[in-house]
Amino acid sequence: MKLPPPDSELGKLMATLPQTGAVDWIGLRPKRDVAMNEVDEVVAETGAGLVGDRYSGGSGKRGITLIQAEHLPVIATLSGHASVEPATLRRNLVVSGIPLVALKGRRFRVGEVVLEGTDSCDPCSRMEAALGPGGYNAMRGHGGLCARILQGGTIRRGDAVVALPITDSNA
């Protein structure tokens, strides 16, 4: 995603975030068709993925997936549930306090790890089984963000999620 120049009006608007976020939940799925494992911390490998996750070692574009904590109640309501557990939605991180859509196409830090938002994390057909009929549509627009790992390290529950300044080199 090409961002507008940082000195343009739209660039200034897109660069302004009211606060930092936080990691609320971390999950790994070691193989296809198995449940997510909740963990307190995970190692992110540059250009690869999360150690212990099935996508580790892939293209890197989907090295890590994130979903907005504030969207979980929306997804639950739209799918007819009182609540939805993070593991049901099959994303690696649940973050709160920062709009993930604002991180698409830009760099951000999660704890000591530097990520770059690559694309929306659209729901898959498995959401029908996980959430029931209409689960796929309940998640549309709320699926979160895929990111590549630019600088590896450890991510821990409670770590800050901070957008990095937009420069001409990463715009």
Side-chain angles (χ1 to χ4, degrees), residues 66-76 78 89 91 100 120-123 135-145:
L66 303 91
I67 194 165
Q68 189 88 43
E70 292 83 356
H71 289 190
L72 272 60
V74 173
I75 294 167
L78 295 175
L89 304 179
R91 303 299 186 261
L100 289 177
S120 299
C121 193
D122 297 323
Y136 172 85
N137 278 318
M139 276 195 70
R140 288 178 66 193
H142 305 289
L145 182 70

Side-chain angles (χ1 to χ4, degrees), residues 1-6 105-106 166-171:
M1 174 181 176
K2 181 81 169 135
L3 295 174
R106 67 183 290 184
I166 298 174
T167 64
D168 287 326
S169 64
N170 65 15

Side-chain angles (χ1 to χ4, degrees), residues 74-99:
V74 173
I75 294 167
T77 297
L78 295 175
S79 62
H81 298 281
S83 64
V84 174
E85 292 298 317
T88 303
L89 304 179
R90 304 157 49 98
R91 303 299 186 261
N92 299 121
L93 301 182
V94 175
V95 302
S96 61
I98 192 167

Side-chain angles (χ1 to χ4, degrees), residues 7 11 29 51 64 89 100 106 116 125 128 136 155:
D7 59 345
R29 195 163 41 111
V51 173
I64 186 169
L89 304 179
L100 289 177
R106 67 183 290 184
E116 180 179 47
S125 62
E128 289 293 299
Y136 172 85
I155 297 172

Side-chain angles (χ1 to χ4, degrees), residues 141-167:
H142 305 289
L145 182 70
C146 295
R148 85 177 83 236
I149 301 165
L150 301 178
Q151 176 185 312
T154 302
I155 297 172
R156 294 173 180 84
R157 189 185 323 238
D159 277 350
V161 180
V162 181
L164 297 177
I166 298 174
T167 64

